Amino acid sequence: MRAIFLLQWQRLRREPFLLLSMFVLTVVFVLFMGGTNPNGEATIPTTFSQSMTENEKSDLLDELNQLEGYNFVESNEQNVIEEKIALGEVAFGLSLKTDGYTFLIATDNPNQAIVEQHLQSIYREKVRIVQVMQNSSDQDIAPKIQANLESPPILVEAQVGETNEDFFVFDNQLQSLFGMTLFFVIYTVVFSLSKVAEEKQLGSWNRIIISPTKKWQVYGGYLSYAFIIGFLQIFVIFFMFDNLLNFDLGNNWLGLIMIMIAYTFTIVALGLLLLAFVSKTSQLNAVVPIVAVSMAMIGGAYWPIEIVDNPIVLQLANFMPIKYAMEALKEITIYQGVITDIIPETLILFAMGIVMMGVGIPLMEKR
Amino acid sequence: MLETIGLKKTFKRHVAVDDANLLLKKGESIGLLGPNGAGKSTLISMIETLIKPTEGDVTWNEKSIIKQPDLLRPVLGVVPQEIALYKELSAYENVKFFGKIYKLTGKELEERAEAVLKLVGLSDRQKDLVKTFSGGMQRRLNIAVALLHEPEVIIMDEPTVGIDPQSRNYILEMVRDLNREQGLTVLYTSHYMEEVERLCDRIYIMDNGKVIANGTKEELIAILSEEESIELVLEKPISTFKEALEMEPSILRVTQESNGLKLIVPKNNRKLTRIFQLAEQHDASITNVNIQIPSLEDVFLHLTGKKLRD
């Protein structure tokens, strides 16, 4: 087993291109999708109706900018915003009036729902004050409301919900980091395992099989290599983004490592299962992108699963290992969960891996 | 002693090997011949314990290796038809890896690696990557890897395919020395009749999954002792002349050659006058005539109806 394991590293040393390209692609995609903004904020250009005073504009802008992770910037021309949206420079823009708002969009964006929620709460309060003022006979109601708002009789510190089931926090940086890393590691792991298919074509597999080396040692060598290479890719990328690029992964590295181990194990098992269905490397090259992309789309690697409401897609997502890994990673980082919180996801991942390996190895042997 | 007894392998409805009996005595060199699709590779794979037969048995020193493949595996060396090496690694790294999977370690591994690289004439190129080697050098290394653990039996599946004559000669000399001087038992398949004639004590001929003949070269040629061949060199091919010859009752078989035709006729009944008459009738210009005693190639053609390299 050791000889086969070491052989893979020796071969990697001579031909590291594929592995390095997966690493670089992950970094590029994470930076492109989640981290091009130095503050990690999404910029939203905003225009105001001409009837609004400068004070009203500035107050509203301040209120909008209380939403973490977003930078609302005043823009004078609506057509400039529309042009930026058309060119893809910004995801969407806002056109604000005293009593209402309009989204300027080209395509749906996960940020939109969060911004809308924020806007709704601001405008609801505004409308309520206007209604109170209209219904009151008191001439001095406006300064009274203003005074009460500034020093309320009771200060309420509200926290919505108790678990992540009740609310959903969207962190674009972590979503991109987790999604892209888990997506690209599928390629790394499966292509590392594809050496088995290559060896079968090459004839060296037969040489190994008729040697006194036991079959479990042969599989052990390949699987442990694929596992370690996959684990290291996730670990190094997470570590790099946390320490060098200031992505906030929190301090629960033990929990993160647990998820990395469970997910990599499942992907190794998935790779083995795919290998059992193909007989040539070229077939594997065709199958891997289909499996990886569909898994990432359904499992919530490209966009948060929380914004999906199609029941069929949600049902399908339950069969995707990536969904459980994403959930567990968000639990540990965004929701600051503890290890016991991620045990269910970790166990599901391990169970999936065991089932896939249980099917994959006998199928491969049969072929 | 390695023996196959009534070996049969079917893949769904296709019978790849049918009732194959083959005996390989210690120190013997056996050639296995057959056209493409004859079942040679399947038979070899069953002997190598890579696939299980549908029926029959393979024994090593009279013990079944179907049930206990580990009886044969440690003493078996295999040279596959493919270059089963890691081309991105050096010759030495390849040899060392395959040594390790045969549980060779430390000084023993170093010594064996050096010895086999020397044997195949690659000592001075051992640090070079295999992908920089010529086809002949890769073939030699392919053999070296099979000899690392000092096997008692070696199975070589077309080990000289696609290489230059010098490398081919080097390999043949090496295999002959290993067999004659070191007593290595050899099972050799090839598409080159002259290789098998040069190396092997006995020859098995397979066709359509069956062993259709076996014996020494002389024994096999004796099958055609009642026949001889006439080679006609023609200025240009004339199809009507060939058809006319095929219709002639005194000619047993006519095959197209690159520069003319080859006829198999009964011994002492050449009817050359009749052949020349037919040539004249069909405007075929004969520039040369060779009368030959049958070769192993003729025996093969006689038995299988095909040329070895068809």
Side-chain angles (χ1 to χ4, degrees), chain A residues 48-60 74 98:
Chain A
F48 296 91
S49 87
Q50 288 175 349
S51 62
M52 290 173 82
T53 64
E54 281 306 313
N55 273 348
E56 280 177 322
K57 285 182 192 176
S58 128
D59 288 349
L60 190 53
E74 185 178 352
T98 317

Side-chain angles (χ1 to χ4, degrees), chain A residues 233-290:
Chain A
Q233 182 170 325
I234 306 178
F235 182 83
V236 170
I237 287 173
F238 281 7
F239 189 80
M240 197 176 89
F241 274 91
D242 187 48
N243 290 284
L244 302 178
L245 292 152
N246 296 325
F247 278 46
D248 185 13
L249 271 86
N251 298 317
N252 196 345
W253 276 89
L254 188 65
L256 287 174
I257 288 171
M258 231 171 92
I259 303 161
M260 290 178 212
I261 290 174
Y263 179 71
T264 316
F265 170 75
T266 315
I267 297 305
V268 169
L270 173 76
L272 201 67
L273 188 65
L274 292 179
L275 266 178
F277 285 107
V278 300
S279 51
K280 287 181 187 157
T281 327
S282 54
Q283 292 170 331
L284 191 72
N285 293 347
V287 171
V288 175
I290 300 170

Side-chain angles (χ1 to χ4, degrees), chain A residues 26-83:
Chain A
T26 312
V27 174
V28 168
F29 271 80
V30 174
L31 288 175
F32 179 68
M33 293 175 73
T36 44
N37 188 322
N39 301 320
E41 291 178 331
T43 301
I44 298 162
T46 311
T47 64
F48 296 91
S49 87
Q50 288 175 349
S51 62
M52 290 173 82
T53 64
E54 281 306 313
N55 273 348
E56 280 177 322
K57 285 182 192 176
S58 128
D59 288 349
L60 190 53
L61 208 55
D62 285 347
E63 276 188 86
L64 283 170
N65 276 319
Q66 281 174 11
L67 183 64
E68 268 184 49
Y70 297 89
N71 184 22
F72 295 86
V73 181
E74 185 178 352
S75 175
N76 293 328
E77 303 285 337
Q78 185 165 322
N79 53 5
V80 173
I81 301 180
E82 284 168 357
E83 198 181 314

Side-chain angles (χ1 to χ4, degrees), chain B residues 188-204:
Chain B
Y188 193 97
T189 81
S190 176
H191 267 117
Y192 300 99
M193 191 67 77
E194 62 274 21
E195 288 186 359
V196 174
E197 285 190 58
R198 187 167 155 189
L199 287 179
C200 301
D201 305 322
R202 283 190 304 124
I203 297 157
Y204 283 79

Side-chain angles (χ1 to χ4, degrees), chain B residues 120-184:
Chain B
V120 298
L122 289 173
S123 292
D124 53 341
R125 297 287 306 267
Q126 59 176 295
K127 287 186 179 163
D128 294 351
L129 301 185
V130 176
K131 63 182 170 193
T132 64
F133 283 8
S134 69
M137 288 161 82
Q138 292 185 358
R139 289 266 164 212
R140 270 142 62 191
L141 187 61
N142 210 25
I143 297 172
V145 163
L147 295 169
L148 257 173
H149 58 292
E150 297 180 279
E152 290 177 40
V153 183
I154 190 162
I155 298 178
M156 306 179 101
D157 192 1
E158 301 190 25
T160 60
V161 169
I163 58 170
D164 58 283
Q166 274 173 322
S167 286
R168 200 170 141 210
N169 201 41
Y170 189 103
I171 289 173
L172 293 178
E173 286 294 317
M174 185 176 75
V175 176
R176 200 169 60 177
D177 287 351
L178 285 166
N179 173 245
R180 308 249 159 107
E181 288 167 22
Q182 295 181 31
L184 183 68

Side-chain angles (χ1 to χ4, degrees), chain A residues 206-364:
Chain A
N206 286 348
R207 270 204 161 135
I208 298 171
I209 292 302
I210 59 171
S211 77
T213 306
K214 300 274 176 260
K215 214 167 240 181
W216 71 263
Q217 293 175 313
V218 181
Y219 280 115
Y222 283 106
L223 297 182
S224 53
Y225 165 74
F227 175 82
I228 289 176
I229 210 89
F231 174 81
L232 280 179
Q233 182 170 325
I234 306 178
F235 182 83
V236 170
I237 287 173
F238 281 7
F239 189 80
M240 197 176 89
F241 274 91
D242 187 48
N243 290 284
L244 302 178
L245 292 152
N246 296 325
F247 278 46
D248 185 13
L249 271 86
N251 298 317
N252 196 345
W253 276 89
L254 188 65
L256 287 174
I257 288 171
M258 231 171 92
I259 303 161
M260 290 178 212
I261 290 174
Y263 179 71
T264 316
F265 170 75
T266 315
I267 297 305
V268 169
L270 173 76
L272 201 67
L273 188 65
L274 292 179
L275 266 178
F277 285 107
V278 300
S279 51
K280 287 181 187 157
T281 327
S282 54
Q283 292 170 331
L284 191 72
N285 293 347
V287 171
V288 175
I290 300 170
V291 173
V293 172
S294 53
M295 256 178 56
M297 281 177 141
I298 300 169
Y302 290 165
W303 48 77
I305 190 88
E306 291 89 342
I307 64 163
V308 176
D309 50 16
N310 183 316
I312 298 168
V313 176
L314 289 173
Q315 270 305 318
L316 281 175
N318 290 331
F319 298 98
M320 305 294 151
I322 217 164
K323 178 200 160 182
Y324 300 100
M326 288 295 290
E327 272 181 6
L329 286 169
K330 287 179 189 171
E331 181 66 50
I332 283 284
T333 54
I334 300 174
Y335 302 110
Q336 286 154 17
V338 290
I339 284 182
T340 47
D341 296 329
I342 56 159
I343 284 176
E345 285 90 354
T346 316
L347 287 179
I348 292 172
L349 284 172
F350 275 122
M352 280 179 157
I354 290 166
V355 170
M356 285 193 274
M357 230 173 239
V359 176
I361 292 180
L363 204 64
M364 210 163 152

